[in-house]
Amino acid sequence: MSTQHLVDMRARLAPRDVAPSEAPPLSGRIHSLESGGMVDGPGIRFVVFTQGCPLRCLYCHNPDTQALCDGREISVDALMAEITKYRSYMKFTGGGVTITGGEPLMQRDFTAEVFRRCQALGIHTTLDTSGFASQSVAATVLEHVDLVMLCIKAFDPDIHTKLTGVPREPSLRFAEYLHSIHKPTWIRFVLVPGITDQPQNVEGLAKFLAPMSNIEKVEILPFHKMGEYKWERMGFDYELKDTPSPTAAQVQQVVDTFRQYNLTVEI
Ligand code: SF4
């Protein structure tokens, strides 16, 4: 075998260095996109629903976002191209981009990069999360987040586990971390009659949140069954099918409890 032949063969067999420009583009798995979101943060928002969630909330209205492998893949570049089409109305309405799910922190790098690029374009960023993540994961993403919407499912440990299938501690530690870094935060609390409306649960949460000066408001979300048809379509048993929505009086009682602790409350 000639020397030249050996050189050629080695060149063919040696692993190729991948130049940075050849690295695969960062991508994530999403369920869907919504360009006119009115309830997911301030102003009119471009909403990204990511795929994957570690919780299994009994009332989940998006059970089709729970499995990380479902949905479709989208590159950050393609998503940013879509987002920038709506930049002017986001700016005009004081809106921005919200990433929700599922649980966006399950796709840390994707979520962080979309937010980083939005902020670089002057677009307001909101993370909608259950806070079920480690501090190191959270820190990577929060660096590029203007507002957090943190849904605390329950304060009572037994109610939390029964409702979500996971312990409450990561979410509570997440709330404390947001406070420690002075991150503007809206708390969300879903009021489910017979489950989350227990006085020790509501009052415990109000007491826990009261000292946190970063909390701008608490939103009470009355339980509804709008996602029930998705459970049926997916062949899942919807355990809350006989649970009613809370009455106006039940909602007011919870509002009053949070207000007693000087928290700003919205329904
Ligand atoms: S955290 Fe949200 S997406 Fe996840 S199971 Fe609960 S309601 Fe569904």
Side-chain angles (χ1 to χ4, degrees):
M1 191 179 290
S2 71
T3 311
Q4 186 54 47
H5 190 109
L6 269 174
V7 170
D8 290 347
M9 205 166 81
R10 283 197 186 121
R12 274 206 307 276
L13 294 177
R16 276 175 78 227
D17 289 333
V18 179
S21 60
E22 293 178 68
L26 183 56
S27 63
R29 291 200 78 78
I30 61 162
H31 172 272
S32 54
L33 303 172
E34 188 184 319
S35 59
M38 308 280 283
V39 293
D40 298 295
I44 298 183
R45 309 193 68 83
F46 188 98
V47 186
V48 181
F49 293 85
T50 56
Q51 206 55 53
C53 183
L55 277 61
R56 292 293 178 266
C57 302
L58 294 180
Y59 55 61
C60 183
H61 50 279
N62 288 325
D64 44 354
T65 65
Q66 290 176 356
L68 185 57
C69 56
D70 287 346
R72 68 182 167 100
E73 190 163 339
I74 188 168
S75 70
V76 174
D77 288 346
L79 181 54
M80 290 309 299
E82 200 57 35
I83 287 170
T84 47
K85 286 184 199 165
Y86 301 93
R87 214 171 143 188
S88 56
Y89 85 58
M90 286 191 256
K91 197 170 173 190
F92 183 69
T93 65
V97 168
T98 296
I99 306 188
T100 181
E103 173 50 67
L105 295 175
M106 275 190 83
Q107 299 187 62
R108 176 193 64 183
D109 294 344
F110 173 72
T111 300
E113 181 60 7
V114 174
F115 279 151
R116 187 191 69 75
R117 287 175 60 172
C118 285
Q119 282 192 331
L121 294 169
I123 298 172
H124 180 273
T125 58
T126 295
L127 171 71
D128 182 13
T129 178
S130 69
F132 195 84
S134 71
Q135 192 172 311
S136 64
V137 167
T140 308
V141 175
L142 291 171
E143 200 183 324
H144 309 291
V145 170
D146 295 311
L147 172 71
V148 175
M149 296 170 74
L150 173 62
C151 189
I152 298 187
K153 311 295 178 181
F155 185 77
D156 180 279
D158 295 333
I159 295 175
H160 195 286
T161 305
K162 179 183 167 200
L163 187 64
T164 67
V166 299
R168 66 173 188 170
E169 276 67 27
S171 297
L172 299 188
R173 298 297 81 80
F174 190 90
E176 289 169 341
Y177 179 59
L178 293 175
H179 179 223
S180 74
I181 61 171
H182 312 292
K183 186 65 72 180
T185 298
W186 295 359
I187 297 293
R188 290 183 141 181
F189 176 69
V190 182
L191 180 59
V192 189
I195 302 183
T196 63
D197 62 346
Q198 305 302 306
Q200 89 280 8
N201 184 52
V202 179
E203 182 140 12
L205 182 57
K207 233 185 237 179
F208 172 73
L209 298 174
M212 299 185 180
S213 50
N214 61 314
I215 293 175
E216 297 180 350
K217 65 175 172 178
V218 177
E219 288 184 335
I220 310 296
L221 309 178
F223 165 72
H224 61 72
K225 287 186 254 189
M226 286 193 296
E228 185 177 3
Y229 75 97
K230 292 187 185 176
W231 286 67
E232 283 165 7
R233 203 171 56 194
M234 294 173 75
F236 295 162
D237 185 24
Y238 188 64
E239 282 186 42
L240 302 186
K241 58 175 168 288
D242 297 324
T243 302
S245 292
T247 62
Q250 285 172 315
V251 174
Q252 192 57 49
Q253 196 173 10
V254 170
V255 169
D256 291 345
T257 304
F258 280 105
R259 286 192 178 143
Q260 273 165 19
Y261 286 86
N262 293 323
L263 292 156
T264 301
V265 186
E266 263 182 26
I267 305 169

PDB file of all heavy atoms in Angstrom, residues 8 26 81-82 101 111 123 125 128 142 151 169 176 191 198 209 230 233 248:
ATOM      1  N   ASP A   8      -4.658   9.001   2.592  1.00  0.00           N
ATOM      2  CA  ASP A   8      -6.043   9.201   2.141  1.00  0.00           C
ATOM      3  C   ASP A   8      -7.031   8.429   3.014  1.00  0.00           C
ATOM      4  O   ASP A   8      -8.086   8.907   3.385  1.00  0.00           O
ATOM      5  CB  ASP A   8      -6.204   8.738   0.688  1.00  0.00           C
ATOM      6  CG  ASP A   8      -5.475   9.666  -0.273  1.00  0.00           C
ATOM      7  OD1 ASP A   8      -5.077  10.762   0.182  1.00  0.00           O
ATOM      8  OD2 ASP A   8      -5.311   9.287  -1.442  1.00  0.00           O
ATOM      9  N   LEU A  26     -30.277  24.615  17.732  1.00  0.00           N
ATOM     10  CA  LEU A  26     -30.995  24.302  18.964  1.00  0.00           C
ATOM     11  C   LEU A  26     -32.493  24.269  18.664  1.00  0.00           C
ATOM     12  O   LEU A  26     -33.017  25.166  17.996  1.00  0.00           O
ATOM     13  CB  LEU A  26     -30.684  25.380  20.016  1.00  0.00           C
ATOM     14  CG  LEU A  26     -31.284  25.183  21.407  1.00  0.00           C
ATOM     15  CD1 LEU A  26     -30.883  23.835  22.005  1.00  0.00           C
ATOM     16  CD2 LEU A  26     -30.844  26.313  22.325  1.00  0.00           C
ATOM     17  N   ALA A  81     -38.338  33.509  14.054  1.00  0.00           N
ATOM     18  CA  ALA A  81     -38.853  34.109  12.817  1.00  0.00           C
ATOM     19  C   ALA A  81     -40.357  34.340  12.940  1.00  0.00           C
ATOM     20  O   ALA A  81     -40.898  35.360  12.495  1.00  0.00           O
ATOM     21  CB  ALA A  81     -38.534  33.202  11.628  1.00  0.00           C
ATOM     22  N   GLU A  82     -41.035  33.385  13.579  1.00  0.00           N
ATOM     23  CA  GLU A  82     -42.487  33.503  13.777  1.00  0.00           C
ATOM     24  C   GLU A  82     -42.789  34.634  14.771  1.00  0.00           C
ATOM     25  O   GLU A  82     -43.663  35.470  14.536  1.00  0.00           O
ATOM     26  CB  GLU A  82     -42.992  32.145  14.316  1.00  0.00           C
ATOM     27  CG  GLU A  82     -44.447  31.875  14.163  1.00  0.00           C
ATOM     28  CD  GLU A  82     -44.945  31.951  12.730  1.00  0.00           C
ATOM     29  OE1 GLU A  82     -44.201  31.581  11.790  1.00  0.00           O
ATOM     30  OE2 GLU A  82     -46.077  32.428  12.564  1.00  0.00           O
ATOM     31  N   GLY A 101     -46.847  25.626  29.130  1.00  0.00           N
ATOM     32  CA  GLY A 101     -46.770  24.227  28.714  1.00  0.00           C
ATOM     33  C   GLY A 101     -48.083  23.520  28.934  1.00  0.00           C
ATOM     34  O   GLY A 101     -49.141  24.131  28.868  1.00  0.00           O
ATOM     35  N   THR A 111     -35.836  26.912  26.143  1.00  0.00           N
ATOM     36  CA  THR A 111     -36.585  28.018  26.755  1.00  0.00           C
ATOM     37  C   THR A 111     -35.669  29.207  27.032  1.00  0.00           C
ATOM     38  O   THR A 111     -36.011  30.361  26.730  1.00  0.00           O
ATOM     39  CB  THR A 111     -37.257  27.524  28.057  1.00  0.00           C
ATOM     40  OG1 THR A 111     -38.142  26.455  27.719  1.00  0.00           O
ATOM     41  CG2 THR A 111     -38.055  28.613  28.731  1.00  0.00           C
ATOM     42  N   ILE A 123     -38.133  42.417  23.517  1.00  0.00           N
ATOM     43  CA  ILE A 123     -39.462  41.811  23.727  1.00  0.00           C
ATOM     44  C   ILE A 123     -39.569  41.309  25.167  1.00  0.00           C
ATOM     45  O   ILE A 123     -38.688  40.570  25.649  1.00  0.00           O
ATOM     46  CB  ILE A 123     -39.687  40.639  22.731  1.00  0.00           C
ATOM     47  CG1 ILE A 123     -39.651  41.147  21.290  1.00  0.00           C
ATOM     48  CG2 ILE A 123     -41.000  39.919  23.031  1.00  0.00           C
ATOM     49  CD1 ILE A 123     -39.669  40.036  20.237  1.00  0.00           C
ATOM     50  N   THR A 125     -40.525  39.146  28.352  1.00  0.00           N
ATOM     51  CA  THR A 125     -40.596  37.683  28.452  1.00  0.00           C
ATOM     52  C   THR A 125     -41.276  37.245  29.750  1.00  0.00           C
ATOM     53  O   THR A 125     -40.979  37.775  30.827  1.00  0.00           O
ATOM     54  CB  THR A 125     -39.177  37.065  28.422  1.00  0.00           C
ATOM     55  OG1 THR A 125     -38.407  37.610  29.498  1.00  0.00           O
ATOM     56  CG2 THR A 125     -38.480  37.349  27.108  1.00  0.00           C
ATOM     57  N   ASP A 128     -44.309  30.863  32.399  1.00  0.00           N
ATOM     58  CA  ASP A 128     -45.443  30.300  33.129  1.00  0.00           C
ATOM     59  C   ASP A 128     -45.041  28.894  33.565  1.00  0.00           C
ATOM     60  O   ASP A 128     -44.817  28.024  32.708  1.00  0.00           O
ATOM     61  CB  ASP A 128     -46.673  30.263  32.202  1.00  0.00           C
ATOM     62  CG  ASP A 128     -47.905  29.736  32.915  1.00  0.00           C
ATOM     63  OD1 ASP A 128     -47.893  29.636  34.160  1.00  0.00           O
ATOM     64  OD2 ASP A 128     -48.892  29.418  32.222  1.00  0.00           O
ATOM     65  N   LEU A 142     -34.121  31.848  34.235  1.00  0.00           N
ATOM     66  CA  LEU A 142     -34.594  33.102  34.854  1.00  0.00           C
ATOM     67  C   LEU A 142     -33.736  34.311  34.526  1.00  0.00           C
ATOM     68  O   LEU A 142     -34.207  35.446  34.579  1.00  0.00           O
ATOM     69  CB  LEU A 142     -34.694  32.918  36.375  1.00  0.00           C
ATOM     70  CG  LEU A 142     -35.810  31.975  36.828  1.00  0.00           C
ATOM     71  CD1 LEU A 142     -35.701  31.685  38.318  1.00  0.00           C
ATOM     72  CD2 LEU A 142     -37.178  32.563  36.498  1.00  0.00           C
ATOM     73  N   CYS A 151     -47.547  28.908  39.199  1.00  0.00           N
ATOM     74  CA  CYS A 151     -48.786  28.257  39.634  1.00  0.00           C
ATOM     75  C   CYS A 151     -48.455  27.323  40.793  1.00  0.00           C
ATOM     76  O   CYS A 151     -47.803  26.287  40.587  1.00  0.00           O
ATOM     77  CB  CYS A 151     -49.415  27.484  38.468  1.00  0.00           C
ATOM     78  SG  CYS A 151     -51.057  26.886  38.869  1.00  0.00           S
ATOM     79  N   GLU A 169     -42.521  20.503  47.701  1.00  0.00           N
ATOM     80  CA  GLU A 169     -41.287  21.214  48.080  1.00  0.00           C
ATOM     81  C   GLU A 169     -40.584  21.929  46.925  1.00  0.00           C
ATOM     82  O   GLU A 169     -40.194  23.097  47.076  1.00  0.00           O
ATOM     83  CB  GLU A 169     -40.308  20.271  48.812  1.00  0.00           C
ATOM     84  CG  GLU A 169     -40.591  20.127  50.304  1.00  0.00           C
ATOM     85  CD  GLU A 169     -41.910  19.425  50.595  1.00  0.00           C
ATOM     86  OE1 GLU A 169     -42.345  18.617  49.753  1.00  0.00           O
ATOM     87  OE2 GLU A 169     -42.508  19.711  51.645  1.00  0.00           O
ATOM     88  N   GLU A 176     -39.364  30.704  46.898  1.00  0.00           N
ATOM     89  CA  GLU A 176     -38.384  31.370  47.781  1.00  0.00           C
ATOM     90  C   GLU A 176     -37.194  31.895  46.976  1.00  0.00           C
ATOM     91  O   GLU A 176     -36.670  32.972  47.254  1.00  0.00           O
ATOM     92  CB  GLU A 176     -37.913  30.397  48.870  1.00  0.00           C
ATOM     93  CG  GLU A 176     -39.003  30.124  49.893  1.00  0.00           C
ATOM     94  CD  GLU A 176     -38.686  28.966  50.838  1.00  0.00           C
ATOM     95  OE1 GLU A 176     -37.808  28.124  50.511  1.00  0.00           O
ATOM     96  OE2 GLU A 176     -39.333  28.878  51.881  1.00  0.00           O
ATOM     97  N   LEU A 191     -58.605  27.202  42.246  1.00  0.00           N
ATOM     98  CA  LEU A 191     -59.529  26.891  43.344  1.00  0.00           C
ATOM     99  C   LEU A 191     -60.449  25.742  42.930  1.00  0.00           C
ATOM    100  O   LEU A 191     -61.325  25.911  42.066  1.00  0.00           O
ATOM    101  CB  LEU A 191     -60.351  28.141  43.689  1.00  0.00           C
ATOM    102  CG  LEU A 191     -61.353  27.960  44.817  1.00  0.00           C
ATOM    103  CD1 LEU A 191     -60.658  27.543  46.102  1.00  0.00           C
ATOM    104  CD2 LEU A 191     -62.161  29.230  45.019  1.00  0.00           C
ATOM    105  N   GLN A 198     -59.607  23.916  51.036  1.00  0.00           N
ATOM    106  CA  GLN A 198     -59.518  23.648  52.476  1.00  0.00           C
ATOM    107  C   GLN A 198     -58.853  24.835  53.181  1.00  0.00           C
ATOM    108  O   GLN A 198     -57.802  25.316  52.715  1.00  0.00           O
ATOM    109  CB  GLN A 198     -58.697  22.380  52.743  1.00  0.00           C
ATOM    110  CG  GLN A 198     -59.210  21.148  52.013  1.00  0.00           C
ATOM    111  CD  GLN A 198     -60.659  20.813  52.367  1.00  0.00           C
ATOM    112  OE1 GLN A 198     -61.000  20.667  53.534  1.00  0.00           O
ATOM    113  NE2 GLN A 198     -61.524  20.735  51.369  1.00  0.00           N
ATOM    114  N   LEU A 209     -46.761  33.276  51.362  1.00  0.00           N
ATOM    115  CA  LEU A 209     -46.456  34.280  50.330  1.00  0.00           C
ATOM    116  C   LEU A 209     -46.348  35.697  50.898  1.00  0.00           C
ATOM    117  O   LEU A 209     -45.672  36.548  50.298  1.00  0.00           O
ATOM    118  CB  LEU A 209     -47.553  34.263  49.254  1.00  0.00           C
ATOM    119  CG  LEU A 209     -47.727  32.957  48.461  1.00  0.00           C
ATOM    120  CD1 LEU A 209     -48.947  33.071  47.554  1.00  0.00           C
ATOM    121  CD2 LEU A 209     -46.475  32.650  47.631  1.00  0.00           C
ATOM    122  N   LYS A 230     -60.583  16.559  26.313  1.00  0.00           N
ATOM    123  CA  LYS A 230     -59.260  16.068  25.891  1.00  0.00           C
ATOM    124  C   LYS A 230     -58.908  14.775  26.632  1.00  0.00           C
ATOM    125  O   LYS A 230     -58.322  13.865  26.060  1.00  0.00           O
ATOM    126  CB  LYS A 230     -58.179  17.112  26.182  1.00  0.00           C
ATOM    127  CG  LYS A 230     -58.269  18.367  25.333  1.00  0.00           C
ATOM    128  CD  LYS A 230     -57.057  19.250  25.579  1.00  0.00           C
ATOM    129  CE  LYS A 230     -57.158  20.564  24.860  1.00  0.00           C
ATOM    130  NZ  LYS A 230     -56.038  21.468  25.155  1.00  0.00           N
ATOM    131  N   ARG A 233     -60.866  12.069  24.999  1.00  0.00           N
ATOM    132  CA  ARG A 233     -60.299  11.759  23.678  1.00  0.00           C
ATOM    133  C   ARG A 233     -59.020  10.934  23.806  1.00  0.00           C
ATOM    134  O   ARG A 233     -58.733  10.086  22.979  1.00  0.00           O
ATOM    135  CB  ARG A 233     -60.008  13.070  22.944  1.00  0.00           C
ATOM    136  CG  ARG A 233     -59.954  12.937  21.454  1.00  0.00           C
ATOM    137  CD  ARG A 233     -59.885  14.270  20.775  1.00  0.00           C
ATOM    138  NE  ARG A 233     -58.760  15.066  21.247  1.00  0.00           N
ATOM    139  CZ  ARG A 233     -58.608  16.376  21.022  1.00  0.00           C
ATOM    140  NH1 ARG A 233     -59.529  17.035  20.372  1.00  0.00           N
ATOM    141  NH2 ARG A 233     -57.553  17.022  21.453  1.00  0.00           N
ATOM    142  N   ALA A 248     -69.559  31.868  43.585  1.00  0.00           N
ATOM    143  CA  ALA A 248     -69.003  33.209  43.788  1.00  0.00           C
ATOM    144  C   ALA A 248     -68.610  33.396  45.258  1.00  0.00           C
ATOM    145  O   ALA A 248     -67.579  34.017  45.566  1.00  0.00           O
ATOM    146  CB  ALA A 248     -70.019  34.256  43.360  1.00  0.00           C
TER     147      ALA A 248
END
